[in-house]
Amino acid sequence: YQRNVTRPLPPLRPTDRSVRVENTLSGNKFSAKVALRGLELPLNHPEISTPIAAVVATFNPDLSVLRDQISRTACQVAWLIVVDDGSSNVKQVAGLVNEFDGAECIALGDNAGVGHAHNVGIRRGLQNGARAVLILDQDTLPGTDMVSVLAQKLEELQRDDQ
């Protein structure tokens, strides 16, 4: 990804009316982009994204629910990490996850438990540079502004602690 900008981008706020987030389908790949004052950037670009990762632990998930969840979540976070905990349909889970930019699937092979799966995903998110990690179950369907609302509350709590 390349861009020609000589000045740093301002931080994004959910209320910034010059920002437009859109999900698109190109071929078989979903992606999320942000239009910021005429520039189109991927949502997980480090200069514009909130450094939040979402971790979803799966075990034999309903693929249609998982697709809905990923489409609602991937566009709100910098990284979406699906950790499959030994599903019999792991190939379908991985194929579904790979349709979305900024999403990855880690297949554990054996069922080690949801806590272990979440810990694996948290480690990956932190390795990627996340400063916060959102933990989701495989059937959680977040609202369109859930992550921004939670991030705003987290920032307020961090300011209050200083």
Side-chain angles (χ1 to χ4, degrees):
Y1 176 77
Q2 295 179 340
R3 66 185 180 102
N4 296 318
V5 178
T6 56
R7 59 182 165 65
L9 294 170
L12 294 181
R13 300 282 181 237
T15 56
D16 189 343
R17 299 201 184 278
S18 64
V19 177
R20 186 183 81 253
V21 179
E22 62 184 48
N23 291 319
T24 57
L25 176 64
S26 175
N28 291 332
K29 193 107 171 155
F30 286 94
S31 64
K33 290 186 178 180
V34 173
L36 173 63
R37 297 186 179 102
L39 300 172
E40 281 209 357
L41 302 170
L43 189 61
N44 60 357
H45 189 279
E47 286 190 50
I48 65 165
S49 63
T50 303
I52 296 175
V55 174
V56 180
T58 60
F59 180 73
N60 295 325
D62 177 317
L63 295 176
S64 64
V65 173
L66 185 61
R67 177 184 297 280
D68 193 15
Q69 179 196 55
I70 293 172
S71 68
R72 292 179 184 212
T73 308
C75 63
Q76 297 187 63
V77 296
W79 306 275
L80 185 125
I81 303 151
V82 175
V83 182
D84 187 81
D85 201 18
S87 295
S88 59
N89 61 347
V90 65
K91 288 183 180 179
Q92 291 85 359
V93 170
L96 173 63
V97 172
N98 288 331
E99 293 176 16
F100 294 86
D101 285 345
E104 72 171 301
C105 183
I106 300 171
L108 297 181
D110 295 321
N111 187 334
V114 68
H116 178 73
H118 281 152
N119 286 333
V120 168
I122 290 167
R123 267 188 238 105
R124 178 61 60 90
L126 295 174
Q127 288 170 349
N128 287 344
R131 294 186 52 170
V133 179
L134 175 66
I135 303 297
L136 300 169
D137 291 331
Q138 67 189 24
D139 56 358
T140 304
L141 297 176
T144 57
D145 64 345
M146 183 183 90
V147 175
S148 64
V149 170
L150 290 172
Q152 183 178 9
K153 295 298 179 191
L154 178 62
E155 289 173 10
E156 288 173 13
L157 288 171
Q158 289 171 337
R159 278 195 303 270
D160 291 346
D161 285 344
Q162 293 178 355

